[in-house]
Amino acid sequence: MAARAGGLLPPRLLLPLLVGLGLGVGLVWGASSASASPWAGSGGSGGGRGARGGGAPPAEDPRPPPRPHQHPHSSYGTFASELRDLRFLSDEGYPFPTAPPVDPFAKIRVDDCGKTKGCFRYGKPGCNAETCDYFLSYRRIGADIEFELSAETDGWVAVGFSSDKKMGGDDVMACVHDDNGRVRIHHFYNVGQWAKEIERNPARDEEGIFENNRVTCRFKRPVKVPRDETIVDLHLSWYYLFAWGSAIQGSITRHDIDSPPVSERVVSIYKYEDIFMPSAAYQTFSSPFCLLLIVALTFYLLMGTP
């Protein structure tokens, strides 16, 4: 009775109270552990213990689970992953588009010939850059000369700068169509009848196309260059050699015709002319002898025989 008066509970009441306190502490601990865990609501062992404790299952964490091999609180890992996503995804979540296509090759204008640029046409009378057997134009742009070449071939088209009208010792620029469909600008030096490719290439801003069985190109070359045996200064006047032919695996072969056309006189880049040269098929009918023969035959047929 003295003990009861001092505030002690009898054993029959003390045991239920201790059991109740233990269950309460267990529930509170389970709930706090589940909410603190980044894997709450994912079916892990913490969630299972909370359910077995008799309480309601903890609410799912709205945050996505961390990426594999990345600590959930690693700021560097989060920054790296976001940077990776930004590199490959747009704001809408779609991959970024590829680079825009290169502008198509601008066609060669012939209405400027003799006005703002010089031109050479070889082929049928009245032909243009898309119908001539061979076409070349040149014009000055600052310290450069822009050349445009075109020929009816699947291989290469070239222009040579020579001190005479013969092949040999010539500085040559050629546009070559390779097996990959590209047209590249090459620099050659004629050693006799053989063209040797030179590693030093003065061409820049080059572009080219192979279309409708024609090789067409455009490039710039400096007017003046440091003294070199294989590269001439274009501010001087030279004979222009015109040639074209086939190519095998990007390597040029012999020109298509035995006697390629040559400018009648030296060419000055400071003088723009529009010069037409008839091809062999039209030279026969345009020669003075042929014209005289046609007149004689016509007169003979009109007058008749005695």
Side-chain angles (χ1 to χ4, degrees):
M1 295 298 292
R4 190 180 302 148
L8 295 177
L9 295 176
R12 65 177 182 273
L13 297 178
L14 182 61
L15 182 60
L17 179 60
L18 292 177
V19 173
L21 289 175
L23 291 176
V25 171
L27 290 175
V28 172
W29 178 85
S32 61
S33 300
S35 61
S37 172
W39 303 101
S42 60
S45 58
R49 285 194 298 269
R52 287 194 297 270
E60 290 190 4
D61 193 333
R63 296 173 297 177
R67 292 184 174 86
H69 308 295
Q70 176 184 322
H71 194 277
H73 301 293
S74 173
S75 59
Y76 175 80
T78 303
F79 170 76
S81 62
E82 292 177 354
L83 179 62
R84 180 193 63 188
D85 294 342
L86 289 176
R87 285 181 59 192
F88 297 102
L89 296 178
S90 64
D91 294 337
E92 294 78 15
Y94 296 100
F96 282 118
T98 57
V102 179
D103 292 338
F105 186 90
K107 291 186 177 181
I108 298 176
R109 297 170 56 93
V110 297
D111 52 350
D112 297 333
C113 292
K115 302 174 183 177
T116 60
K117 64 182 179 182
C119 297
F120 287 91
R121 315 186 200 196
Y122 177 83
K124 181 180 179 180
C127 65
N128 56 35
E130 299 177 2
T131 58
C132 288
D133 295 349
Y134 178 96
F135 178 91
L136 176 138
S137 75
Y138 63 91
R139 65 169 176 165
R140 300 185 310 276
I141 302 179
D144 295 331
I145 299 295
E146 182 184 74
F147 289 96
E148 297 174 315
L149 284 76
S150 179
E152 187 175 356
T153 179
D154 62 353
W156 57 274
V157 54
V159 56
F161 311 103
S162 176
S163 58
D164 53 28
K165 292 186 176 183
K166 299 179 181 180
M167 185 176 177
D170 313 312
D171 177 2
V172 178
M173 303 299 297
C175 307
V176 184
H177 174 224
D178 61 25
D179 290 346
N180 295 323
R182 299 169 300 185
V183 175
R184 298 293 179 84
I185 315 302
H186 296 255
H187 180 221
F188 295 92
Y189 182 76
N190 285 339
V191 181
Q193 300 294 314
W194 175 60
K196 176 184 178 181
E197 184 163 7
I198 306 300
E199 183 177 355
R200 183 186 177 193
N201 191 342
R204 55 193 179 202
D205 296 341
E206 60 182 71
E207 55 179 329
I209 188 173
F210 175 70
E211 190 176 49
N212 299 327
N213 198 41
R214 294 190 70 88
V215 174
T216 307
C217 66
R218 181 182 293 113
F219 62 91
K220 294 177 183 176
R221 171 173 160 156
V223 175
K224 297 182 179 181
V225 294
R227 184 176 179 83
D228 191 309
E229 179 185 1
T230 64
I231 303 178
V232 301
D233 283 338
L234 294 179
H235 74 282
L236 301 175
S237 297
W238 305 90
Y239 288 100
Y240 281 19
L241 311 179
F242 313 114
W244 62 97
S246 301
I248 300 177
Q249 296 182 349
S251 299
I252 67 174
T253 62
R254 181 177 172 79
H255 40 73
D256 282 354
I257 57 179
D258 294 334
S259 299
V262 183
S263 62
E264 290 294 330
R265 57 184 180 273
V266 292
V267 179
S268 171
I269 62 170
Y270 302 102
K271 184 178 181 180
Y272 294 155
E273 298 181 274
D274 186 10
I275 299 176
F276 171 75
M277 297 175 289
S279 62
Y282 299 95
Q283 290 175 5
T284 303
F285 296 99
S286 60
S287 64
F289 176 77
C290 184
L291 292 176
L292 181 61
L293 181 60
I294 293 175
V295 171
L297 289 175
T298 303
F299 179 79
Y300 176 80
L301 293 175
L302 291 176
M303 296 300 296
T305 57

